[in-house]
Amino acid sequence: MDLSHATGKEDVDDGLSHIEQTDIVRRKLCRDQCIRWLVTAALIGLIVGTFRVYERKGNMPNVQKSYFNAVIITLTLLLALNFFESFKDQAKFIRWKILGQYKYEIEEVDLIMDFENLVSVAKLGWKCRFNWGISIFCCIWIFLNIIAETSIALINLTSSFNDGKDSNGTYLRAGKVNITDLSCYYRNNSCSPEPINAVIPQFLAHYYGMSTQFTTCRTYQTLSDVLSSPSEHAYYCRRTPGKEEFTYRFLEYNPRDLHDTYPQATNRTISASSGECYEYYEVNRRKGPDQEADGGTAMTFTFKNDTSTGGKITIPIQGDAFRSTTYIYRGRDVPQESEDWRCGDRCLWIWAYKARSVVEKASFFKCPITISSVENGISPLHQVPNRVARLAAASIALQGRHNKEKANKTKNWAQTQAVAFGSKYEVHFQNKSKVGANMAEFAIGSIAEMARRNPRITVNGIVPRMGTSVQIYWRYAIPLLVFIAAFQAVLFISVWIATRDVILRENSYVAISRVMLPLMRHRWPSEGSLRRGGTWPAMREHSGGRFSYMLEGMSDSQMSVGVTRRHTLESMEDVRHKGGEDSSCEASQRGSLDLKEGQVAYIEEKMFEDNYKKKSEG
């Protein structure tokens, strides 16, 4: 650039000394916005990662809500700040496009130069309300800012907290925990001594088992299905023919949970199952006095199967009711002490009688019912004793009443329970495997109800505590985050394309005042005053070509002016301001700017102050 024609000096003003290629300027502008978009993408990635981490935590202490909120709010604020800065940078592009379109008053120029401030944009829209193009564009720019910030604020609405209300809302911590005392069938928090009072445990065993009449079980195939299922099920059942099994999952309680609101399902389980059952057919029956009991009428049956004669069995006369089912415990001792019908430490043989019906003959079933040990029990307090297990195995047939043998007046604990046709446990039109399944299901129901009703003891364990969990609405979160990233990218590309070829009008104040500034500085370095904007160029004539410019991304006090072709400017008249007194046009100076095509000159963003009074003859 050569200003020697204008200044008569060899040195060049610093404001015009920096020359760059236009494509370099454009690359830098694009690079800065790409960096901002990458920051946006990184922040969105962190938000998604935070959502994933807290969602996978499941139930957690309530204090984690504060941590989650702090992280998400921080990330969204950073995202909003980055978006805001991106808008400010793009506004610096746009203002030069606006300045090159029309002639403006000085106040309008100031508002345009402050276009990154939304308040200035709003004022400009109102100031230029009769210029529909500028006014509408200002409204659109404000609207785009609102959309951007609103979309970021909506991120906080894509997640919520589910505060725990039951066992599904708990988390676990080591500590003191309450478990059920499984040593016996308690009544009123008292374990009745045996055999002094053997009636109560037998009555309770049957009474608790009756609870299965009104509950449904959750089906399973393997133990892992039980451990992974919700804890609100009373018990679990596997009804695979020939492999029927019924399982109860033990619970633990927080000592502070006085109403058992949120028990914790453990990995400790106990199962009841039936071995192979045998079916016998009625051969003969005889009605008469009960020879084994103290009075009463009984029916004595003779039975057999295909391989043996079987034997005889006596049941009360009511057990032979039409289409009824009677379950029978044949031991003379209480089930806890039974030896004659024991099939293992935790197993008893239980009988069932199916009374005749219109289409079926009467028959007997004998099934071995086994109660397993507690799986995953790590303490003796977790185990169900063998005596209690045998009592549960016989529970379907127990009444809690004994008979006295006439010979020696000793107690005979053989018992029966009749079931009416149509009830859950009647066995008409069922095979022998289903009969054994009925006995086993009743037994596990008895244990499950005992575990819920018995008193509790405190041991070391894993304590359930009420917590909270984070729920993410991914169907809204993902589209919203994608929209934010896409919105920023599309907006920048649109602005970059729209402002890459900005043309200053030949009589634009900015075009004349910016290019004339260095000439006036060299001519009168100690005189004249500067101000933002300029009305003085309107009083001058000039010649030359068009000017295009782009923002380099530097401070607001600089701008770039690219000259599209070799041109000449003529200052014509000079206006000086001395000591506040008006002066007339005194001199004329002609200068030329030699810029190669495609080059950019950087000029300080200052304009000559127009604080003179125009003379009528000027």
Side-chain angles (χ1 to χ4, degrees):
M1 180 179 298
D2 183 9
L3 294 180
S4 58
H5 297 85
T7 63
K9 301 179 181 179
E10 295 297 326
D11 58 325
V12 180
D13 184 88
D14 293 336
L16 295 175
S17 62
H18 189 59
I19 306 268
E20 292 284 354
Q21 293 295 332
T22 304
D23 56 348
I24 297 178
V25 177
R26 296 181 61 193
R27 283 199 301 269
K28 184 177 185 301
L29 296 174
C30 182
R31 181 189 64 201
D32 292 344
Q33 285 299 306
C34 287
I35 291 175
R36 291 210 176 275
W37 187 89
L38 291 176
V39 171
T40 295
L43 291 172
I44 289 175
L46 290 175
I47 291 173
V48 173
T50 302
F51 281 168
R52 287 288 187 188
V53 169
Y54 275 88
E55 185 180 47
R56 292 176 180 176
K57 279 179 177 288
N59 297 324
M60 55 188 177
N62 287 319
V63 69
Q64 292 289 335
K65 293 167 62 174
S66 300
Y67 299 154
F68 175 81
N69 285 330
V71 173
I72 293 301
I73 290 175
T74 300
L75 292 176
T76 52
L77 287 177
L78 291 175
L79 184 59
L81 180 61
N82 183 64
F83 226 119
F84 178 71
E85 291 298 322
S86 177
F87 265 95
K88 289 179 62 176
D89 290 345
Q90 294 175 38
K92 296 174 183 178
F93 288 95
I94 295 174
R95 63 185 180 183
W96 303 117
K97 181 75 172 180
I98 298 174
L99 283 171
Q101 304 305 309
Y102 307 99
K103 292 183 178 181
Y104 300 95
E105 297 179 0
I106 184 62
E107 182 179 354
E108 294 171 345
V109 172
D110 283 334
L111 293 175
I112 293 172
M113 295 304 294
D114 196 31
F115 200 77
E116 63 268 24
N117 187 333
L118 291 181
V119 176
S120 297
V121 177
K123 291 180 178 180
L124 178 63
W126 176 254
K127 183 72 174 177
C128 299
R129 59 187 179 276
F130 299 111
N131 185 337
W132 289 101
I134 298 299
S135 182
I136 293 175
F137 181 78
C138 290
C139 293
I140 293 175
W141 187 252
I142 293 175
F143 181 68
L144 292 176
N145 277 265
I146 293 175
I147 289 179
E149 300 304 325
T150 302
S151 61
I152 293 174
L154 289 176
I155 294 175
N156 294 286
L157 300 181
T158 60
S159 63
S160 65
F161 293 100
N162 293 328
D163 293 331
K165 297 180 180 179
D166 51 28
S167 57
N168 293 325
T170 59
Y171 65 97
L172 305 178
R173 290 291 185 270
K176 295 292 184 180
V177 64
N178 284 349
I179 64 172
T180 303
D181 185 349
L182 303 172
S183 58
C184 72
Y185 280 84
Y186 275 82
R187 181 189 180 188
N188 296 329
N189 292 329
S190 174
C191 192
S192 301
E194 300 174 12
I196 299 175
N197 193 356
V199 174
I200 293 176
Q202 295 178 75
F203 167 76
L204 291 176
H206 181 80
Y207 177 72
Y208 289 169
M210 290 295 292
S211 64
T212 57
Q213 293 268 21
F214 315 105
T215 56
T216 57
C217 63
R218 181 182 177 89
T219 59
Y220 74 98
Q221 295 299 322
T222 63
L223 186 59
S224 61
D225 296 334
V226 175
L227 299 180
S228 62
S229 67
S231 60
E232 64 267 16
H233 299 283
Y235 61 97
Y236 304 83
C237 53
R238 184 176 66 196
R239 300 190 182 278
T240 305
K243 297 181 180 180
E244 291 90 344
E245 185 180 65
F246 303 87
T247 298
Y248 172 70
R249 187 180 183 186
F250 288 97
L251 304 177
E252 292 181 344
Y253 304 84
N254 189 320
R256 297 182 179 180
D257 182 15
L258 302 180
H259 301 286
D260 297 345
T261 306
Y262 48 96
Q264 173 61 36
T266 70
N267 64 346
R268 301 194 306 276
T269 60
I270 189 170
S271 300
S273 60
S274 171
E276 182 180 1
C277 295
Y278 299 93
E279 184 174 5
Y280 301 89
Y281 302 101
E282 178 186 338
V283 176
N284 189 21
R285 65 172 60 195
R286 179 179 58 83
K287 182 179 179 182
D290 191 344
Q291 299 298 324
E292 298 182 350
D294 187 11
T297 302
M299 188 71 71
T300 300
F301 299 91
T302 301
F303 57 85
K304 70 173 185 177
N305 58 18
D306 296 335
T307 59
S308 64
T309 56
K312 294 182 179 182
I313 190 170
T314 300
I315 61 175
I317 188 66
Q318 62 267 25
D320 192 37
F322 184 70
R323 300 179 71 176
S324 66
T325 298
T326 302
Y327 290 96
I328 308 164
Y329 167 65
R330 300 186 69 184
R332 292 183 178 273
D333 296 323
V334 293
Q336 300 94 311
E337 305 292 339
S338 178
E339 294 290 343
D340 46 354
W341 292 103
R342 183 186 296 185
C343 50
D345 290 340
R346 305 171 69 87
C347 178
L348 286 179
W349 289 97
I350 307 299
W351 290 70
Y353 171 64
K354 179 177 68 175
R356 66 186 183 279
S357 66
V358 175
V359 295
E360 288 184 300
K361 295 181 179 180
S363 60
F364 287 88
F365 300 91
K366 182 179 74 169
C367 300
I369 306 303
T370 301
I371 307 299
S372 72
S373 299
V374 175
E375 294 287 340
N376 301 315
I378 59 176
S379 168
L381 297 174
H382 293 156
Q383 292 295 332
V384 175
N386 292 345
R387 292 166 54 83
V388 177
R390 290 194 295 268
L391 182 59
S395 60
I396 195 170
L398 301 180
Q399 307 177 20
R401 299 179 61 185
H402 60 81
N403 297 313
K404 290 184 179 179
E405 295 183 357
K406 292 182 177 180
N408 53 20
K409 304 297 182 180
T410 58
K411 294 178 180 180
N412 180 359
W413 289 97
Q415 301 167 62
T416 61
Q417 278 284 3
V419 178
F421 179 79
S423 69
K424 180 176 181 177
Y425 290 108
E426 65 93 11
V427 297
H428 286 82
F429 308 107
Q430 303 291 340
N431 56 32
K432 60 184 180 181
S433 177
K434 180 62 169 64
V435 176
N438 284 353
M439 299 174 181
E441 184 173 3
F442 197 97
I444 204 64
S446 178
I447 292 177
E449 192 66 19
M450 176 192 69
R452 280 187 283 270
R453 291 175 175 263
N454 271 14
R456 294 170 189 154
I457 54 179
T458 303
V459 299
N460 292 325
I462 305 299
V463 185
R465 297 181 180 180
M466 194 67 75
T468 188
S469 61
V470 176
Q471 181 179 1
I472 307 300
Y473 304 103
W474 292 107
R475 58 182 298 185
Y476 303 116
I478 295 300
L480 179 61
L481 295 173
V482 171
F483 168 78
I484 291 173
F487 180 81
Q488 183 178 0
V490 172
L491 180 63
F492 162 65
I493 293 174
S494 301
V495 172
W496 186 70
I497 292 175
T499 59
R500 65 178 180 176
D501 185 21
V502 179
I503 302 299
L504 286 180
R505 300 168 65 91
E506 292 184 350
N507 60 346
S508 167
Y509 301 157
V510 176
I512 299 175
S513 60
R514 292 304 175 93
V515 178
M516 294 293 289
L517 174 60
L519 303 178
M520 304 303 290
R521 276 183 172 176
H522 280 280
R523 181 65 177 173
W524 299 282
S526 61
E527 300 179 359
S529 57
L530 300 175
R531 61 169 297 174
R532 293 180 60 83
T535 56
W536 71 271
M539 302 179 61
R540 291 158 174 77
E541 297 178 1
H542 67 282
S543 61
R546 290 185 171 184
F547 300 88
S548 65
Y549 60 81
M550 296 186 63
L551 185 63
E552 164 63 10
M554 55 187 65
S555 65
D556 290 343
S557 63
Q558 293 177 321
M559 63 169 287
S560 60
V561 178
V563 183
T564 59
R565 63 182 177 83
R566 192 178 184 90
H567 62 277
T568 300
L569 290 178
E570 187 173 19
S571 62
M572 301 297 294
E573 295 178 337
D574 168 47
V575 179
R576 291 184 298 166
H577 182 58
K578 298 182 180 179
E581 297 179 357
D582 294 335
S583 60
S584 60
C585 299
E586 298 180 349
S588 169
Q589 179 64 40
R590 184 181 185 86
S592 63
L593 299 177
D594 292 332
L595 293 180
K596 295 181 180 179
E597 187 172 339
Q599 291 183 325
V600 179
Y602 299 98
I603 305 177
E604 294 184 2
E605 184 183 338
K606 294 182 180 179
M607 296 183 181
F608 285 94
E609 173 132 18
D610 179 21
N611 54 3
Y612 63 91
K613 294 181 180 180
K614 179 181 177 183
K615 294 184 178 181
S616 58
E617 64 274 13

